[in-house]
Amino acid sequence: ADAADRDRWDVVIDCTGNIRAIEDALPRVKPGGTFQDFGVAPADAFARYSPFRVYRDEISIVGTMAVLNSFGRAVEMFEAGAIKSEPMISHSFSLEDYAQALDMFRAGTGRKLQIRPGDTRSRELWPA
């Protein structure tokens, strides 16, 4: 976010559940904007923010529990062929190449990285 061409947005969504990310995200909401908490933080975690700023700038904070009743429908859509999983997965790794998969993940390359313990070789499935 620091490298973006602006410092505030109408909508900021946290999908990480990471408290530091949440605390960094809230100040980036424009006055009248919305912060959506989509990530799953630990049940005992607490984020610090300025209630005064939420009040003064009329910031909405909303939570989203998107996983309720969604997995069954997703499975049905995959089974019906409405969703193709192949393009989502850019790389498949054998268990022996797990460290390579972690390096790729940390570097932010690829899309979805798959670990297949039964495979004997790693491969690029769809170009990232």
Side-chain angles (χ1 to χ4, degrees), residues 41-108:
D44 60 347
F46 289 89
R48 293 179 50 122
Y49 67 94
S50 169
F52 180 79
R53 178 158 183 270
V54 171
Y55 149 78
R56 183 196 65 211
D57 289 347
E58 297 182 326
I59 295 172
S60 298
I61 300 175
V62 297
T64 301
M65 179 64 154
V67 298
L68 295 177
N69 305 313
S70 62
F71 288 114
R73 180 72 178 126
V75 169
E76 291 171 2
M77 292 177 76
F78 278 109
E79 288 174 343
I83 299 174
K84 303 290 183 200
S85 62
E86 293 85 7
M88 295 179 194
I89 303 169
S90 62
H91 296 78
S92 179
F93 293 91
S94 67
L95 192 56
E96 290 77 25
D97 290 334
Y98 181 75
Q100 181 184 349
L102 282 178
D103 289 342
M104 183 176 248
F105 172 77
R106 288 180 182 129

Side-chain angles (χ1 to χ4, degrees), residues 1-15:
D2 288 335
D5 61 352
R6 57 184 159 165
D7 61 349
R8 298 249 175 114
W9 289 268
D10 294 318
V11 177
V12 176
I13 302 170
D14 171 68
C15 297

